[in-house]
Amino acid sequence: MSDIISWGERLQAHLAGIDRDAFFANPLVQDAVSKCVEAIGEAAGKLDDINPELDRTVPDLNLKLARRIRDRLSHGYYRIDLVLL
């Protein structure tokens, strides 16, 4: 869980002061955001492996969704939809 929080804080810092237009115009920020989301998804997947019931008991975590997003970013990088990211 601490990895999810840490990468989430990094993600928040990368996006501080960045509006939608600035995000779409800046590949460096896009890459940083993508990496943070990927790391969050990896940590979420590991957490889900350790405690599969957690996703059901705390549905706001969306561990399985975070893992799927990570898989998509890791294995389909050429098709990243920046609007969804």
Side-chain angles (χ1 to χ4, degrees), residues 1-2 4-5 43-65:
M1 186 63 81
S2 64
I4 293 171
I5 293 168
K46 299 294 183 194
L47 187 56
D48 189 46
D49 289 343
I50 292 168
N51 186 354
E53 293 299 314
L54 191 58
D55 207 32
R56 191 177 6 243
T57 58
V58 187
D60 288 344
L61 288 177
N62 289 313
L63 297 175
K64 290 180 184 357
L65 175 60

Side-chain angles (χ1 to χ4, degrees), residues 26-82:
N26 190 330
L28 187 63
V29 173
Q30 295 165 14
D31 291 348
V33 167
S34 179
K35 174 59 181 172
C36 290
V37 171
E38 186 177 347
I40 290 167
E42 179 69 18
K46 299 294 183 194
L47 187 56
D48 189 46
D49 289 343
I50 292 168
N51 186 354
E53 293 299 314
L54 191 58
D55 207 32
R56 191 177 6 243
T57 58
V58 187
D60 288 344
L61 288 177
N62 289 313
L63 297 175
K64 290 180 184 357
L65 175 60
R67 176 182 264 176
R68 287 195 312 268
I69 291 168
R70 178 255 175 222
D71 290 346
R72 179 65 182 238
L73 288 170
S74 294
H75 303 292
Y77 62 90
Y78 53 89
R79 288 191 251 159
I80 293 174
D81 185 341
L82 295 176

